[in-house]
Amino acid sequence: EANPLLVKYIDELSLAKGSRVFLPLCGKTLDIGWLLSRGYRVAGAELSAIAIEQLFAELGVRPTITRVGTVDHYRAPQLDIFVGDIFKVTPALLGPVDAVYDRAALVALPQEMRARYSAHLMALTAHAPQLLISFEYDQRAMEGPPFSVSEEEIRQHYGHRYDITVLTSLDVPGGLKGRCPATERVYALRKGEC
């Protein structure tokens, strides 16, 4: 099933049907099929070619694959996935997007990479609005990923460009990976007055 937080909060981004949503570090998430089924166009970036081959197989779609520099572009109707290093994906390669759905990217990266990632994501998407999901927990209790990313850190990365709203804050049932108490937060990042 699609992530229930996506299903519940996608409308916070006020997207028209046919809008193009970018999923960084998307893997083979079922969220892609759900977004496509709701009339959105989807773009994603992922390091693992195996995950993307499985994604297209599960969608029952045969992609056209082209090499652009060091990135492979998997293309099908309404769907573009760029396989390779996300830092090698350029705005020209990605093309325009209307929103970003970051469920698993920011929290997948160690702290020393998150500033570079957030700056790249903003440049890559022309500061498109974001639906961002993060976890907060005692990082000493468990090694990531997913890593703990606090609201304060999110504001450090994005607050100069976005108005940031916490849409919900939920305790993770049974703890993160069943090992430690954690809070899952959903943020809406909308273009601020810059």
Side-chain angles (χ1 to χ4, degrees), residues 26-29 32 36 42 44 49-65 72-83:
C26 61
K28 60 176 188 172
T29 178
I32 291 172
L36 290 169
V42 176
I50 293 169
I52 297 313
E53 289 163 10
Q54 290 172 348
L55 167 72
F56 278 92
E58 289 168 10
L59 291 171
V61 176
R62 175 178 235 128
T64 301
I65 305 168
D72 289 324
H73 181 184
Y74 285 61
R75 178 182 291 139
Q78 312 303 316
L79 181 59
D80 297 281
I81 306 288
F82 302 93
V83 177

Side-chain angles (χ1 to χ4, degrees), residues 148-168:
S148 179
V149 182
S150 68
E151 180 178 344
E152 178 184 349
E153 183 181 345
I154 288 169
R155 291 187 184 281
Q156 286 172 356
H157 295 312
Y158 293 116
H160 64 290
R161 283 299 205 169
Y162 290 103
D163 292 326
I164 299 171
T165 305
V166 178
L167 299 175
T168 193

Side-chain angles (χ1 to χ4, degrees), residues 100-123:
V100 175
Y101 168 52
D102 182 343
R103 171 186 167 199
L106 187 67
V107 296
L109 299 172
Q111 186 171 15
E112 60 272 12
M113 288 186 70
R114 293 195 288 257
R116 178 179 174 217
Y117 161 78
S118 58
H120 179 67
L121 185 63
M122 288 185 286

Side-chain angles (χ1 to χ4, degrees), residues 27-42:
K28 60 176 188 172
T29 178
L30 298 175
D31 297 341
I32 291 172
W34 185 85
L35 287 163
L36 290 169
S37 75
R38 296 307 183 276
Y40 296 107
R41 294 176 298 135
V42 176

Side-chain angles (χ1 to χ4, degrees), residues 120-143:
H120 179 67
L121 185 63
M122 288 185 286
L124 186 61
T125 64
H127 305 95
Q130 292 189 42
L131 189 65
L132 170 63
I133 299 176
S134 75
F135 295 100
E136 285 188 46
Y137 63 93
D138 182 351
Q139 191 74 72
R140 296 168 299 185
M142 188 184 90
E143 291 184 28

Side-chain angles (χ1 to χ4, degrees), residues 2-11 31 34-35 101 131 133:
N3 185 315
L5 297 173
L6 169 65
V7 173
K8 185 171 183 177
Y9 292 107
I10 187 70
D11 290 343
D31 297 341
W34 185 85
L35 287 163
Y101 168 52
L131 189 65
I133 299 176

